[in-house]
């Protein structure tokens, strides 16, 4: 879609990467549950398709509607129940707002992804995850949700009272309605000791990989394509009495590092043939051994890198080393030129119907790229085909291509149940955006 404002559609919504933009017919910004219900009612009466635009941190079309976009920036309250160790956030609250409230109360989320700029509701909706095979994706931390459905009703969803809808709607990309509030289980605040180690590629992804993952609370790898090493990041809980080292460098240092990295990425995107050499030049900045101790959210979150696009697939964890070896061979064989580190993370399995980790402990392999055009499209196409061959399931907030038949085959136990529940909960298709239709076409 063009970025030129349409005369009747003056506001353009863009994702973080600036790779997607769209102009919905209307944008609603409710300031209360009643206003939210009224907004959904108005859109439904007009026959408009409704979708929440969270913080716009998805690379997929998950947040897109040409009808009525709901922006929940005015519903961002967070309350903490210290005794019950729970936090309740309104639908528009950002994860970093949740983290702040929890820190003030001496609590923390058990695990986080690499950033906290997203809304909590948006992160849950696409199956956002961190790393650590003893931990589930973030949606598994949810104990209750208030969901406003197509009939305007605000339903209280919990495992006990609405087991089916609760299992389906958490990772439901907003297809069942608007999450007005979400309650997550928390833990007493804790520190993490982080150690980073540079390993030869074959050692990182070999016979010992799963043992490395199992012995750490949070283990993950980065591999910069066209290099022979990988970075292992191990993070483990420690007693909070440990002294903290000095905090990371001031933002100016980060900005400087990002500017240099961004310039290198842009150069590689302009001259793909130079990428292997540039990556080898950049390896010193990517592969740094070190150690630190800090508050959990400060260790789990990392500074925002220069803008990039990403596709990520979850494969059965036991295939990690094999798949990484195959990915490396594919890159060489196809002459792909990749300018950004590939992330390799792990989670336990879960019971959420459309979770990429449904029913199996998973390895998430994320292909990130700065730039675009034929080089990047060809890389994503080859990557997706390879991951599908390993039984991969896509992250719903990242770039993916999958036919309904493929998605059904990825979720043989839950696809039909999800589709049937969707038809019952939203019979008139109020939340049926093109993204939902693409995965679950109306029969
Ligand atoms: C720099 C960066 C780092 C990232 N790191 C990670 C990571 O470490 N791990 C990971 O798994 N992912 C990661 N992601 C992906 C990101 O977490 C997801 O795409 C997430 O869904 C974005 O949340 P959002 O608030 O921006 O929602 P949006 O992208 O705006 O929307 C995502 C989906 O949630 C729905 N939604 C949002 N709010 C509501 C609501 N209140 N009710 C109903 N539906 C709603 C939208 O309709 C849409 O379907 C990263 C993305 C970026 C840009």
């Amino acid at each position: 879609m063009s970025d030129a404002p349409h005369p009747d559609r003056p506001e353009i919504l863009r994702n973080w990467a600036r790779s997607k933009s769209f102009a919905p017919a209307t944008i609603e910004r409710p300031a209360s549950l009643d206003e939210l219900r009224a907004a959904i009612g108005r859109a439904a009466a007009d026959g408009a398709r409704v979708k929440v635009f969270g913080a716009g941190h998805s690379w997929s079309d998950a947040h897109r509607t040409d009808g009525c976009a709901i922006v929940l920036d005015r519903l961002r309250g967070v309350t903490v129940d210290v005794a019950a160790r729970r936090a309740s956030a309104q639908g528009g609250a950002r994860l970093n707002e949740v983290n702040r409230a929890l820190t003030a109360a001496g609590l923390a989320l058990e695990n986080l992804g690499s950033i906290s700029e997203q809304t909590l509701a948006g992160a849950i909706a696409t199956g956002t995850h961190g790393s650590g095979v003893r931990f589930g994706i973030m949606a598994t931390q949810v104990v209750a949700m208030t969901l406003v459905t197509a009939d305007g009703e605000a339903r209280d969803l919990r495992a006990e009272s609405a087991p089916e809808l609760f299992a389906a709607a958490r990772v439901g990309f907003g297809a069942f309605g608007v999450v007005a509030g979400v309650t997550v289980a928390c833990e007493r605040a804790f520190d993490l000791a982080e150690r980073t180690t540079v390993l030869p590629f074959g050692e990182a992804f070999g016979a010992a990989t799963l043992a490395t993952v199992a012995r750490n609370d949070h283990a993950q790898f980065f591999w910069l394509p066209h290099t022979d090493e990988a970075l292992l990041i191990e993070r483990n809980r420690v007693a909070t009495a440990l002294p903290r080292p000095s905090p990371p460098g001031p933002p100016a240092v980060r900005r400087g590092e990002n500017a240099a990295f961004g310039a290198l990425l842009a150069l590689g995107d302009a001259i793909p043939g130079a990428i292997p050499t540039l990556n080898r030049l950049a390896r010193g900045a990517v592969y740094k051994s070190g150690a630190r101790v800090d508050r959990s959210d400060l260790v789990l979150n990392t500074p925002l890198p220069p803008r990039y696009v990403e596709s990520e697939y979850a494969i059965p964890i036991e295939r990690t080393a094999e798949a990484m070896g195959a990915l490396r061979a594919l890159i060489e064989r196809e002459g792909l030129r990749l300018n950004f580190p590939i992330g390799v993370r792990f989670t336990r399995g879960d019971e959420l119907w459309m979770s990429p980790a449904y029913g199996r402990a998973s390895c998430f392999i994320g292909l990130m790229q700065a730039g675009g055009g034929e080089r990047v499209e060809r890389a994503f196409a080859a990557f997706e085909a390879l991951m599908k061959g390993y039984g991969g399931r896509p992250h719903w907030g990242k770039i993916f291509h999958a036919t309904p038949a493929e998605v059904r085959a990825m979720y043989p136990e839950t696809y039909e149940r999800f589709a049937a529940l969707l038809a019952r909960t939203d019979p008139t298709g109020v939340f049926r955006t093109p993204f939902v239709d693409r995965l679950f076409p109306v029969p």
Side-chain angles (χ1 to χ4, degrees):
M1 167 168 296
S2 131
D3 265 10
H6 186 284
D8 303 326
R9 300 179 173 205
E11 203 174 334
I12 290 171
L13 297 176
R14 288 188 182 80
N15 69 350
W16 170 84
R18 302 282 183 264
S19 58
K20 301 263 182 188
S21 62
F22 65 99
T26 54
I27 299 184
E28 297 272 5
R29 292 190 162 85
S32 67
L33 183 59
D34 282 344
E35 285 184 21
L36 171 61
R37 294 172 62 187
I40 294 171
R42 270 194 302 280
D46 289 350
R49 299 284 174 256
V50 178
K51 203 75 180 154
V52 177
F53 188 82
H57 275 61
S58 293
W59 288 276
S60 69
D61 282 339
H63 47 223
R64 179 185 177 134
T65 177
D66 295 329
C68 170
I70 296 192
V71 175
L72 297 175
D73 279 353
R74 296 163 74 199
L75 287 173
R76 294 169 76 145
V78 181
T79 56
V80 179
D81 181 338
V82 179
R85 291 201 195 153
R86 289 188 173 179
S88 297
Q90 289 183 303
R94 307 277 172 137
L95 264 167
N96 48 30
E97 292 164 341
V98 176
N99 291 340
R100 258 198 302 280
L102 286 173
T103 302
L107 299 177
L109 294 177
E110 65 170 24
N111 201 4
L112 283 166
S114 63
I115 59 159
S116 287
E117 323 289 317
Q118 316 94 313
T119 62
L120 175 59
I124 289 162
T126 60
T128 293
H129 60 90
S131 196
V133 76
R134 292 192 273 280
F135 301 93
I137 63 169
M138 294 197 69
T140 63
Q141 300 169 18
V142 177
V143 292
M145 269 183 0
T146 305
L147 182 75
V148 183
T149 43
D151 51 12
E153 202 185 312
R155 304 187 190 199
D156 180 41
L157 302 190
R158 287 162 203 272
E160 317 81 60
S161 57
E164 293 224 309
L165 204 45
F166 194 58
R170 272 178 286 170
V171 182
F173 19 85
F176 290 94
V178 176
V179 175
V182 54
T183 299
V184 283
C186 310
E187 299 200 2
R188 218 189 289 267
F190 59 96
D191 278 4
L192 287 173
E194 177 186 83
R195 192 168 59 138
T196 56
T197 314
V198 184
L199 297 173
F201 181 94
E203 203 177 304
F205 306 111
T209 306
L210 295 188
T212 302
V213 171
R215 74 162 183 262
N216 287 289
D217 291 332
H218 311 273
Q220 68 185 74
F221 297 90
F222 282 109
W223 173 53
L224 186 58
H226 316 296
T227 68
D228 298 325
E229 302 95 21
L231 187 73
L232 164 64
I233 304 179
E234 296 168 291
R235 293 164 173 155
N236 288 291
R237 293 172 184 226
V238 291
T240 46
L242 276 183
R244 295 174 197 279
S246 53
V253 174
R254 287 273 151 70
R255 275 202 293 276
E257 280 177 5
N258 255 4
F261 188 33
L264 217 57
L265 293 169
L267 185 60
D269 191 44
I271 316 169
I275 287 177
T277 309
L278 293 172
N279 284 11
R280 287 190 274 273
L281 287 175
R283 77 205 312 169
V286 175
Y287 297 144
K288 278 187 199 152
S289 297
R292 64 176 174 140
V293 180
D294 215 328
R295 211 174 69 210
S296 61
D297 57 313
L298 300 178
V299 173
L300 293 169
N301 283 168
T302 50
L304 264 180
R307 288 182 206 282
Y308 62 95
V309 289
E310 181 172 357
S311 176
E312 185 178 48
Y313 275 71
I315 64 168
I317 194 167
E318 57 278 7
R319 307 200 75 182
T320 304
E322 189 191 348
M324 284 304 292
L327 179 55
R328 188 181 197 197
L330 174 82
I331 292 167
E332 292 310 315
R333 196 172 61 244
E334 298 293 321
L336 304 176
R337 296 288 175 255
L338 304 178
N339 66 1
F340 215 95
I342 287 171
V344 185
R345 295 183 280 180
F346 307 89
T347 69
R348 69 166 166 79
D350 61 52
E351 275 79 49
L352 312 187
W353 288 1
M354 292 304 288
S355 159
Y358 176 83
R360 65 191 196 196
S362 299
C363 165
F364 285 77
I365 302 181
L367 181 71
M368 298 169 250
Q369 281 303 288
E374 197 259 338
R375 173 185 72 82
V376 173
E377 277 164 27
R378 204 162 75 81
F380 280 141
F383 169 75
E384 286 198 60
L386 184 77
M387 291 297 117
K388 286 176 188 171
Y390 279 94
R393 299 170 178 151
H395 185 307
W396 304 118
K398 304 190 179 182
I399 293 166
F400 70 91
H401 300 84
T403 63
E406 283 178 319
V407 180
R408 185 186 291 111
M410 290 168 186
Y411 294 89
E413 291 169 34
T414 52
Y415 180 91
E416 296 296 350
R417 290 162 80 192
F418 191 97
L421 189 57
L422 207 52
R424 283 208 303 279
T425 316
D426 183 16
T428 54
V430 174
F431 299 105
R432 271 207 164 268
T433 55
F435 181 89
V436 178
D437 272 342
R438 188 152 66 89
L439 302 179
F440 297 93
V442 179

